[in-house]
Amino acid sequence: MFDDLRVSAFLATRSIQRGGRGRNAMYIIIIALVLTNMIFLPSVIMGAMDVYYVQTVDYISSDVIIKPPEDVRYIDDVETLLATVNRMSGVVRASARYPMAGSIDFEDKTVAMEIDAFDPRDETEVTKFHKHMKYGDFLGSGDRDQIIVGSLVAGAKDDTGEFYASLGGATVGDSVVVRYANGVVREYRIKGIFNTKSYQADYMVFVTKDEMDAVTGSGGARATEVLVKTVSAEDAQPVKKRILEFGVGEDVETWEEALPDVVSESVESFAIINTISVLGSLVIAVVLIFIMTTIKTFNNRKQIGILKAIGLKKSIIINSYVMQVIFICLIGAIVGSLLIGTMVLYFTTYPIEFPDGDVTPLVTWAMIIENTALLFISSAIAGFIPAWRVTNEGILEAIRGG
Amino acid sequence: MDEYIRAEDLRKLYTMGTVEVRAINGVSFSVRKGEFVGITGSSGSGKSTLLHMLALLDPPTEGTITIADRDVISLSEAEKGIFRLSRFGFIFQDYALVPELTAEENVSLVAMARGEEAGSYSRRSRKLLGQVGLGERVAHLPSELSGGEQQRVAIARALINTPEILFADEPCANLDSTNSRAVLDLFREINQRMNLTVIMVSHEDWHMEYFDRVIRLRDGKIEEDFQPEIPDATASP
Ligand SMILES: Nc1ncnc2c1ncn2[C@@H]1O[C@H](COP(=O)(O)OP(=O)(O)OP(=O)(O)O)[C@@H](O)[C@H]1O
Ligand SMILES: [Mg+2]
């Protein structure tokens, strides 16, 4: 058995060394491109998903989000809840959100939207708005007559390209009038404009919780959600469990569970597109290897027949072709991996600009190993079949070469 | 008389649609060890068919073959392969060397396939190539050799496993008369020096001077089985 493999390896090595270097180089390049093709599209999709996930955690839900149960609008006794959660291990900080519907007037523009509120000291530990102030400053604890707005809300003087209604180019220092749904009207100075690149986050405005207390009047502002930042991403599940075990009457979800259904549906669609693309690449590889081996074995028919007449086992001859295929795939996979590495490096320096943020292709070792294994298996089969077919031809037919 | 190879009432029937071709139609003979046998006859007389059956490449429709007291017809395909690899040498009209292997590697391959250690066969194959007059060409690829030289590599390949029987089917068909003579002289020499049994198909009359014995076929039957007259060495030019 080992001796047979040695003979196959000898035949394969010599054939690779001396049989058409240019052609082998071409096969290797095609295999490398096939592997690149198998990995690049999913890596960009994964990169884009990752950007979306990071944005969700950074601005929308944090690691764990607590909401009132269905059909209930507000969280019951949010002060106690915050105090409880803040004491739990694995929790960095919890920040409550106190929104109220309303509209914002600036010059001749009016934007109808929810005005949200938080305690700035809590919020800076939970989300990253404060790190993405494009102009001006983040809210401070005592701020009462100030508001911060997202870049999509502020808008631009030339708003023809904008998809959402905006204030048409409001800048830091401008005064806006906010009309709350409960009838209260306030004038605020724009303290800062944030730009997170997340569509959802950049279409938000915030005042302080103290201000919202005053706007709401008796009883103070009421929270609709509590965002909980955990020490690490892995803490999300355990923290969720701890909160639930504590017996709060609210719904608790990790950021992943809180993703809207449409997101998981698009992930599924991506997976299907990706599978089709991978299958397409594999078909190219299989056809290539099949043709390559068919040509080689067919050209060597007579020689194969004579080797069999001399008494060489069929398996020695078949294996020598399969080994050549594996060698070409191996070098192709190495070249392909280098190519992918170069592309990832390039796009890390110059990310692909998606409207939702800068996307860097995300390549994992699992992706490379999985796709390389798929490529190896299908190529080995594609090489085996023609070699097997020619080798199984009758000795005399092969020698006659008819 | 010691019968080394014995063929008993061999028949080979090819059926193509409704047409039946009796390529070999009842052939019996025996060959002694060390005999140099030529199989001759006109085209289509069944020479190749007979050789292929004796060489275990094609089973007869009827009849038996014994080699060294062993019934070889009943061997399995794999056993026949081992038998051929270790006891037979083959030379065909087409040399069909492996194009990516040098002369030496082409010869060594067959020993390697028998599981020999690298050290033992590479010296032997170089020596054999020297004996067939290619001592200077061991590192050449088949594409760098003439037809006659390639056929001599094929001869060295046939001899590397020190076979007991050498089968050759028109080994000189693609060679000019000078190269043909060189090949036949080599056969003669090997046959005498190694006491190797040689069974060779040929339809050239002048080859007969090399054979100990000639089996002439006609329509799948033995027409003549005789010892050719040894030409007078002093009279030949
Ligand atoms: N595979 C086959 N199928 C059908 N008929 C065959 C087959 N092989 C040989 N024959 C027939 O058997 C007969 C003997 O063929 P064979 O090849 O043995 O002749 P040969 O003496 O070697 O001829 P040549 O000198 O032309 O090589 C011929 O009539 C040939 O047509
Ligand atoms: Mg013939």
Side-chain angles (χ1 to χ4, degrees):
Chain A
M1 181 63 196
F2 181 75
D3 279 337
D4 289 357
L5 287 179
R6 189 176 62 138
V7 180
S8 304
F10 174 71
L11 281 170
T13 315
R14 290 293 183 268
S15 178
I16 293 275
Q17 278 176 336
R18 301 190 182 130
R21 290 218 181 152
R23 207 178 312 142
N24 284 336
M26 186 191 78
Y27 292 139
I28 287 171
I29 288 168
I30 295 177
I31 291 293
L33 292 177
V34 163
L35 186 69
T36 310
N37 192 43
M38 284 168 87
I39 290 175
F40 192 66
L41 175 68
S43 78
V44 171
I45 293 171
M46 271 180 70
M49 293 312 299
D50 195 58
V51 166
Y52 178 78
Y53 292 157
V54 168
Q55 286 176 347
T56 301
V57 172
D58 284 352
Y59 308 109
I60 310 301
S61 67
S62 198
D63 294 310
V64 175
I65 184 164
I66 307 171
K67 289 178 187 168
E70 236 178 307
D71 303 329
V72 179
R73 276 199 67 186
Y74 299 109
I75 291 176
D76 214 30
D77 193 6
V78 72
E79 297 302 330
T80 314
L81 179 64
L82 284 174
T84 309
V85 173
N86 279 332
R87 274 201 303 274
M88 284 177 181
S89 70
V91 171
V92 174
R93 194 76 188 165
S95 177
R97 294 280 182 84
Y98 309 86
M100 191 187 288
S103 66
I104 310 171
D105 295 350
F106 174 67
E107 292 174 349
D108 58 338
K109 305 272 182 175
T110 299
V111 178
M113 64 184 303
E114 202 164 65
I115 289 80
D116 218 334
F118 50 61
D119 180 335
R121 278 170 309 189
D122 291 341
E123 190 71 15
T124 48
E125 288 189 63
V126 175
T127 64
K128 291 193 173 158
F129 285 102
H130 62 288
K131 287 189 176 158
H132 293 275
M133 300 307 297
K134 197 176 174 194
Y135 305 108
D137 298 304
F138 193 63
L139 289 171
S141 314
D143 290 344
R144 288 291 307 273
D145 53 356
Q146 313 218 57
I147 189 167
I148 56 171
V149 302
S151 56
L152 292 177
V153 178
K157 283 267 180 293
D158 175 23
D159 60 1
T160 45
E162 287 176 9
F163 190 69
Y164 301 103
S166 80
L167 300 178
T171 55
V172 171
D174 286 341
S175 282
V176 295
V177 174
V178 174
R179 296 169 199 284
Y180 287 97
N182 64 356
V184 175
V185 179
R186 296 277 180 153
E187 193 174 325
Y188 296 127
R189 192 184 80 90
I190 297 180
K191 188 178 184 186
I193 297 173
F194 51 85
N195 185 16
T196 65
K197 288 202 166 174
S198 153
Y199 270 118
Q200 224 181 325
D202 287 343
Y203 207 68
M204 289 180 170
V205 298
F206 296 103
V207 295
T208 60
K209 194 239 174 198
D210 291 349
E211 171 60 15
M212 193 58 87
D213 280 340
V215 168
T216 312
S218 63
R222 307 197 64 186
T224 55
E225 54 191 29
V226 171
L227 279 48
V228 183
K229 183 80 204 159
T230 58
V231 175
S232 72
E234 289 76 48
D235 286 324
Q237 273 299 343
V239 164
K240 171 193 161 178
K241 256 178 116 184
R242 258 166 246 152
I243 299 172
L244 283 172
E245 276 163 12
F246 209 81
V248 299
E250 322 294 338
D251 282 348
V252 185
E253 290 177 324
T254 65
W255 67 271
E256 258 177 313
E257 296 159 354
L259 287 174
D261 288 346
V262 63
V263 175
S264 50
E265 277 161 23
S266 14
V267 170
E268 270 165 39
S269 310
F270 282 142
I272 292 167
I273 292 170
N274 187 34
T275 307
I276 292 168
S277 151
V278 164
L279 284 179
S281 305
L282 280 180
V283 167
I284 294 171
V286 163
V287 169
L288 172 86
I289 297 289
F290 193 88
I291 291 173
M292 175 188 103
T293 319
T294 303
I295 292 173
K296 268 198 176 183
T297 49
F298 198 80
N299 284 342
N300 295 344
R301 255 177 101 202
K302 215 167 238 176
Q303 171 212 317
I304 290 171
I306 289 195
L307 290 180
K308 272 166 54 190
I310 288 174
L312 262 72
K313 287 183 204 152
K314 281 186 218 169
S315 61
I316 290 181
I317 297 162
I318 296 173
N319 284 339
S320 81
Y321 288 100
V322 173
M323 282 179 186
Q324 289 180 54
V325 166
I326 288 177
F327 175 82
I328 283 174
C329 282
L330 186 73
I331 303 296
I334 292 170
V335 174
S337 300
L338 290 176
L339 215 62
I340 293 161
T342 313
M343 280 165 94
V344 170
L345 218 65
Y346 177 84
F347 286 113
T348 309
T349 322
Y350 309 102
I352 310 165
E353 293 203 6
F354 276 33
D356 243 12
D358 293 344
V359 172
T360 309
L362 206 75
V363 179
T364 59
W365 279 111
M367 271 163 89
I368 292 189
I369 291 166
E370 206 173 282
N371 285 294
T372 308
L374 265 178
L375 191 62
F376 268 60
I377 293 166
S378 24
S379 298
I381 295 169
F384 175 84
I385 292 169
W388 179 84
R389 236 177 23 186
V390 169
T391 314
N392 264 300
E393 191 185 32
I395 293 175
L396 299 177
E397 283 76 24
I399 293 174
R400 272 191 216 103
Chain B
M1 188 187 84
D2 52 336
E3 292 179 343
Y4 185 54
I5 304 170
R6 164 118 208 110
E8 197 88 56
D9 198 24
L10 285 184
R11 285 166 203 276
K12 184 74 184 181
L13 191 69
Y14 289 113
T15 6
M16 300 164 71
T18 54
V19 186
E20 281 190 349
V21 181
R22 294 174 186 279
I24 290 293
N25 195 12
V27 166
S28 305
F29 62 92
S30 55
V31 176
R32 277 181 296 115
K33 195 163 174 58
E35 224 174 351
F36 192 161
V37 181
I39 300 175
T40 66
S42 55
S43 181
S45 58
K47 305 183 292 291
S48 296
T49 307
L50 179 60
L51 186 89
H52 294 153
M53 290 192 293
L54 293 173
L56 308 184
L57 295 174
D58 201 16
T61 315
E62 264 179 62
T64 57
I65 300 171
T66 42
I67 295 175
D69 294 325
R70 189 153 173 199
D71 172 18
V72 288
I73 302 293
S74 57
L75 295 176
S76 73
E77 276 311 306
E79 285 169 330
K80 282 180 185 165
I82 295 167
F83 206 91
R84 292 198 300 266
L85 183 64
S86 49
R87 293 177 179 236
F88 295 173
F90 287 95
I91 293 151
F92 296 94
Q93 190 173 324
D94 263 289
Y95 338 118
L97 302 173
V98 181
E100 296 97 357
L101 300 185
T102 63
E104 187 196 324
E105 288 167 342
N106 262 290
V107 177
S108 295
L109 176 71
V110 180
M112 195 193 262
R114 221 171 64 157
E116 272 185 55
E117 286 306 316
S120 68
Y121 56 71
S122 50
R123 237 183 56 239
R124 195 146 42 90
S125 53
R126 255 176 283 140
K127 194 172 148 212
L128 273 171
L129 283 167
Q131 284 171 4
V132 298
L134 293 173
E136 307 292 306
R137 302 295 185 99
V138 290
H140 286 237
L141 293 173
S143 58
E144 300 161 349
L145 298 170
S146 74
E149 287 166 338
Q150 288 187 53
Q151 190 62 302
R152 279 185 273 159
V153 175
I155 293 169
R157 174 173 70 181
L159 298 176
I160 185 79
N161 283 346
T162 49
E164 293 159 13
I165 309 167
L166 187 65
F167 290 101
D169 192 353
E170 311 212 22
C172 303
N174 293 334
L175 303 177
D176 60 24
S177 58
T178 321
N179 275 307
S180 298
R181 253 186 212 289
V183 165
L184 288 166
D185 285 337
L186 198 61
F187 277 17
R188 178 86 267 183
E189 189 203 324
I190 297 159
N191 162 253
Q192 287 175 350
R193 193 160 42 81
M194 301 166 130
N195 195 30
L196 185 71
T197 310
V198 181
I199 298 182
M200 170 177 159
V201 167
S202 164
H203 60 236
E204 298 270 0
D205 283 338
W206 65 268
H207 289 173
M208 271 200 251
E209 63 188 77
Y210 286 90
F211 305 144
D212 292 335
R213 174 179 167 198
V214 173
I215 296 176
R216 197 196 305 279
L217 295 182
R218 189 197 171 97
D219 297 332
K221 288 194 163 112
I222 296 179
E223 185 189 40
E224 261 188 294
D225 185 342
F226 63 98
Q227 298 189 342
E229 282 176 42
I230 297 157
D232 186 354
T234 51
S236 68

